[in-house]
Amino acid sequence: MTMQPPMPALPEADAGRRNMTLLIQLRWLAVGGQLATIGVVIGLMGIALPLAPLLAAVAVLVAINIVSLGLLRRGRTVTNIELTAALLFDVAALAWQLHHSGGLSNPFASLFLLQVVIGAILLTPRSSWAIVAATLAALAALRVDPTPLLLPARYAADPLGLYLQGSLVCFVLIAVLLVAFVTRISRNLRDRDAALAAARQRAAEEDHIVRMGLLASGAAHELGTPLSTLSVLIGDWRSAPRLAKDGELQADLVDMDAAVGRCKTIVSGILMSAGEARGVAPRLTTMRAFLTDIVEDSRAGRLPGTVEFNDLFGADVAIVSDPALRQVIGNVMDNAAEVSPDWIGVTASRDGDMAVIEIADRGPGFSDEMLEHFGQPYRSTKGRPGGGLGLFLLVNVLRKLGGGASVANRDAGGALVRILLPLSAIAQGEGEAP
């Protein structure tokens, strides 16, 4: 059996989708601006324009946007090639419109600069230079037999003045679009950096827990044997006939035995905090048997009726018992028993391919800070240094299996920990015989 957690979306893949979204938004602005410009030039300025080719270019841009939206809805990664192709279509559409509206004499030919800047920001260096080459080719093509504009008499007398006015409008348009575009890109970059920082923080926390586990395991191996030897020797001394009559020495031996026991408890507490699994190795079992074993272990040291188990799981499923998973669920139950020694409620149910395990207690519940920072290390309700790793370990183990956990306070009082575990992550693989 292989336990493969689902891979999270990479920031680069998400960036591709965001960049395509930006291009779609800019293209809608371009479509609206072109229609508005055509209306102003024909309606207010009285300049005749060839509507058929100009509106055909607008229709092509609308079609490109519709196709791009379809790609985004599929949830697939937007590649650099697709972004480059979209920008090349924009360059071609602008060149087509300029060819039928005066060519290089049209002041809006400067809009090619906007596409070059967008390509330099969004694309790889090679693709950016491809956009530059495409715009240069478009400028060269505009020198070949463009459709001249037939200006009315009031504009034909001063064509330079009209060109300067159009250049001013084009400059304002480019400036506004660039500021809006670069602002959005900067926000996307900040979001990406925040996501990368969170991923690095999570990796650092997990590495910290792993190092703590290794340190705790080493301490257990180093201290376990001498502590056990001391405990045996103290027991022998207490039962020795020559020492049994010495009351003062017996009192000292009792204190020594208590100190050794305390050392064992401290070592065990370090191991539990570091996530040392109680089990030895994974074994084939079923989901119901897995949960029942955890509940029975919890019941073993408590009064009858303290642990209430509601089995609503339904049809049983063959799984591979993971010691780390068993450990963290047991830790949650132990934490619940500390604040609610009289009652712990465990409910197992199923939601499709997801096992749902809810652990409830009648304690004081979670504080607002705990609810806000759930899953972060060293956030403890017990107020002791180094505490708060139980829920952190739970979240990390479940995350590696593709699941998750949440906490809440019950309306009837007490806390509730909800565990979501994908059965596919721990299901028995083919060929694994029980």
Side-chain angles (χ1 to χ4, degrees), residues 25 55 90 93 128 139 193 225 299 368 408:
Q25 294 172 351
L55 294 179
D90 292 339
S128 300
L139 290 172
D193 292 342
T225 301
R299 284 173 172 170
D368 293 339

Side-chain angles (χ1 to χ4, degrees), residues 358-421:
E358 295 181 341
I359 302 172
D361 62 58
R362 293 173 180 167
F366 293 107
S367 65
D368 293 339
E369 182 183 4
M370 280 293 299
L371 293 175
E372 181 180 357
H373 300 285
F374 165 67
Q376 295 183 8
Y378 309 121
R379 300 284 182 173
S380 174
T381 59
K382 303 172 186 177
R384 63 169 180 254
L389 293 178
L391 291 177
F392 174 73
L393 291 171
L394 173 71
V395 170
N396 278 274
V397 170
L398 292 175
R399 184 167 55 200
K400 290 181 181 298
L401 295 175
S406 62
V407 295
N409 289 325
R410 302 170 62 229
D411 294 336
L416 175 68
V417 178
R418 193 167 189 260
I419 297 171
L420 299 177
L421 178 64

